[in-house]
Amino acid sequence: MGLFNDLFGTPKPRVTEKEYKKAKSELYSEGFNQRQRAKVDEIFAPDFNMPSTDSHPRGLEKNEIEARIKWMRENKSKHNLSDKEIDEIESSPLKRL
């Protein structure tokens, strides 16, 4: 084990940018149109543009995904995605962790 892992523990599992793109492809196959996928990007993709550090590698941790899903459920008027669509979004990236 490396020094970082000895001091701080193993980094938390996360959805990588590659896995995120795969999840978006799954949404397309589930019938999500371009506008719906763009809304998903507005909510999730900014994390992939943040600089990566040793303590916080690029990607989405499970708790970050859960927080965004919760926000989506509480703010449907801001993105116009249905409960069923939010369920599909939730199951797609979370099963990668």
Side-chain angles (χ1 to χ4, degrees):
M1 215 182 249
L3 176 61
F4 176 79
N5 288 340
D6 289 343
L7 294 174
F8 301 105
T10 304
K12 294 180 182 176
R14 61 188 59 250
V15 173
T16 66
E17 188 170 9
K18 182 179 178 180
E19 291 166 330
Y20 174 74
K21 288 179 181 180
K22 195 182 240 186
K24 273 192 9 183
S25 293
E26 289 177 21
L27 294 177
Y28 176 76
S29 69
E30 293 291 328
F32 277 61
N33 63 32
Q34 177 60 36
R35 182 196 61 79
Q36 292 165 317
R37 291 190 319 273
K39 285 293 180 186
V40 171
D41 270 344
E42 286 177 24
I43 296 166
F44 292 99
D47 274 281
F48 297 110
N49 297 325
M50 300 294 290
S52 169
T53 66
D54 286 342
S55 62
H56 194 77
R58 192 173 292 174
L60 291 164
E61 294 177 3
K62 184 176 182 176
N63 65 330
E64 294 170 322
I65 294 169
E66 290 170 345
R68 284 173 179 80
I69 295 294
K70 180 180 179 197
W71 178 89
M72 291 172 76
R73 292 193 192 286
E74 295 171 352
N75 296 279
K76 290 182 199 144
S77 65
K78 295 183 181 180
H79 53 70
N80 296 317
L81 295 167
S82 71
D83 285 328
K84 182 180 183 239
E85 291 164 337
I86 294 170
D87 289 343
E88 290 176 21
I89 292 165
E90 181 177 28
S91 68
S92 183
L94 282 180
K95 63 185 168 188
R96 304 223 179 316
L97 294 178

